[in-house]
Amino acid sequence: MKVYVIIPAYNEEDRIGKVVKAALNQNIVSKVIVVDDHSTDRTAEEAERAGALVLRHPRNKGVGAAVKTGYRKFLEEDGDVAVVIAADGQHDPSEIPGFIELIKEGKAEYVVGDRSHEADKMSFTRRLGNRFLSWLTRRVTGLNVRDSQMGFTAITRDALKKINLEYLTDKWGYPNDMLIECALRDIQVEFVPSKCIYGGRKSYIKLPQYILRVGTILFRGWMRRIYYRHGLYLFSFSGMVSLLVGIIYGIHVAIRIIKAGHVTNIEPLIFVIVLLLGGIQMILFGFLMDMIKKVETQVKT
């Protein structure tokens, strides 16, 4: 089994070399891909010196975009499993074999690190935010999410082919988008206890803004899940109700016009037309969504 390690990196010249070497020291790892998200320091050079294949973004796009670039490169090559770890040393590469073991045993297609067993090492605000976002992600995805914000993950080639990378955010919050995609594609997800090493550079993420951003991503994912799972029925039902109300109200309006001998008020007639056309349009949308979902599923498989 060929394991590729993907490391999104931005201005990590002091740490990236150690992380790359630690990953390559794992016998199970075949290649390390570092995606330099337009760093202004020597991140790319240090990564290459340590033995990584370096891909460079022409401009800063965000951590999600860097991970997607790494995934695309992985799919171009012959790797079996893609592991994502942080460039700042937060994740311990020696834990990679444990992630891969779950995949080898057929227990998972997507493995996510879980820090809940050592939540006391987090600051109060970080712990509170992580629990809240994990709860929200659990509600949106229907998965038994333990740690929704952990970036230490492993995914099989077959599972990654099912993921629509275009739906993943380019910024922070991509782990939530990945979990939403896994839920939609019926990808088997498992969480494995993992430690997180704090004490590197100070995080520049502000919790309120981060929660707002991830909350927006989760709302978008919830809407997409409704469309993906229930789009045909939701739109078809709404369209049929609109048509039925339009027909009934239209008959009422027609009777009034016949009795009066002429159109006394144009507004009710316009309302009937809107109900009828809107109902037809919603039914067509429902069928169109179902067709798009089937085509998308066939393309991914």
Side-chain angles (χ1 to χ4, degrees):
M1 181 175 287
K2 293 184 178 180
V3 177
Y4 282 37
V5 174
I6 298 169
I7 307 177
Y10 177 69
N11 288 346
E12 298 288 357
E13 65 177 2
D14 295 333
R15 306 168 187 84
I16 189 64
K18 295 178 182 179
V19 175
V20 170
K21 290 178 181 178
L24 288 172
N25 282 338
Q26 306 304 310
N27 294 331
I28 197 171
V29 173
S30 301
K31 182 180 289 189
V32 172
I33 300 172
V34 171
V35 182
D36 177 23
D37 194 27
H38 199 64
S39 297
T40 57
D41 61 7
R42 293 181 53 82
T43 294
E45 290 81 356
E46 292 298 324
E48 287 180 338
R49 182 179 300 176
L53 168 66
V54 177
L55 307 177
R56 294 177 174 87
H57 281 171
R59 59 181 177 83
N60 184 262
K61 298 181 179 181
V63 62
V67 172
K68 290 192 288 185
T69 296
Y71 277 152
R72 292 188 182 101
K73 182 62 177 177
F74 164 78
L75 290 174
E76 290 175 2
E77 302 201 6
D78 59 349
D80 299 304
V81 179
V83 176
V84 176
I85 63 175
D88 59 2
Q90 283 193 35
H91 306 144
D92 185 356
S94 68
E95 295 182 345
I96 292 175
F99 283 57
I100 304 304
E101 195 62 31
L102 282 176
I103 292 174
K104 282 184 176 180
E105 293 174 356
K107 295 180 179 179
E109 298 172 277
Y110 184 57
V111 182
V112 184
D114 172 22
R115 298 165 294 177
S116 60
H117 66 290
E118 55 175 27
D120 57 330
K121 294 182 179 179
M122 300 181 186
S123 66
F124 174 76
T125 53
R126 183 191 290 264
R127 182 167 64 250
L128 183 64
N130 187 63
R131 286 180 176 176
F132 175 65
L133 291 174
S134 294
W135 176 80
L136 275 181
T137 307
R138 188 160 52 245
R139 302 296 296 179
V140 169
T141 63
L143 300 173
N144 184 25
V145 177
R146 299 179 192 172
D147 189 346
S148 65
Q149 306 314 119
M150 185 59 151
F152 193 175
T153 63
I155 189 168
T156 66
R157 169 178 287 273
D158 289 340
L160 187 58
K161 285 181 178 179
K162 298 176 186 177
I163 298 293
N164 192 328
L165 295 177
E166 299 306 318
Y167 281 110
L168 303 183
T169 180
D170 285 345
K171 307 297 182 180
W172 294 104
Y174 82 90
N176 305 83
D177 263 346
M178 279 293 291
L179 289 170
I180 291 168
E181 275 290 298
C182 286
L184 293 177
R185 311 296 177 183
D186 295 320
I187 293 171
Q188 188 179 8
V189 180
E190 288 292 338
F191 289 79
V192 61
S194 177
K195 61 185 177 182
C196 195
I197 305 167
Y198 300 106
R201 62 168 171 77
K202 184 179 179 180
S203 175
Y204 49 81
I205 297 176
K206 298 185 182 300
L207 188 61
Q209 291 91 329
Y210 184 77
I211 290 178
L212 178 61
R213 173 171 181 77
V214 175
T216 303
I217 289 172
L218 291 173
F219 177 75
R220 182 188 66 185
W222 177 67
M223 294 295 293
R224 186 160 178 262
R225 188 182 181 197
I226 291 176
Y227 136 69
Y228 196 84
R229 297 292 190 190
H230 312 291
L232 173 62
Y233 307 104
L234 179 65
F235 277 88
S236 297
F237 176 76
S238 301
M240 290 177 66
V241 170
S242 180
L243 274 177
L244 182 61
V245 173
I247 291 172
I248 294 174
Y249 188 61
I251 293 174
H252 172 70
V253 171
I255 291 174
R256 288 176 55 186
I257 292 174
I258 292 172
K259 286 183 178 180
H262 63 280
V263 177
T264 57
N265 192 350
I266 194 66
E267 283 81 3
L269 189 59
I270 294 175
F271 184 55
V272 169
I273 294 173
V274 169
L275 285 173
L276 294 176
L277 292 180
I280 294 172
Q281 190 174 37
M282 281 190 284
I283 291 174
L284 291 176
F285 276 163
F287 283 108
L288 179 61
M289 284 184 172
D290 190 57
M291 290 172 63
I292 292 173
K293 183 182 75 172
K294 289 178 178 177
V295 170
E296 188 178 279
T297 302
Q298 290 173 356
V299 170
K300 290 296 174 184
T301 55

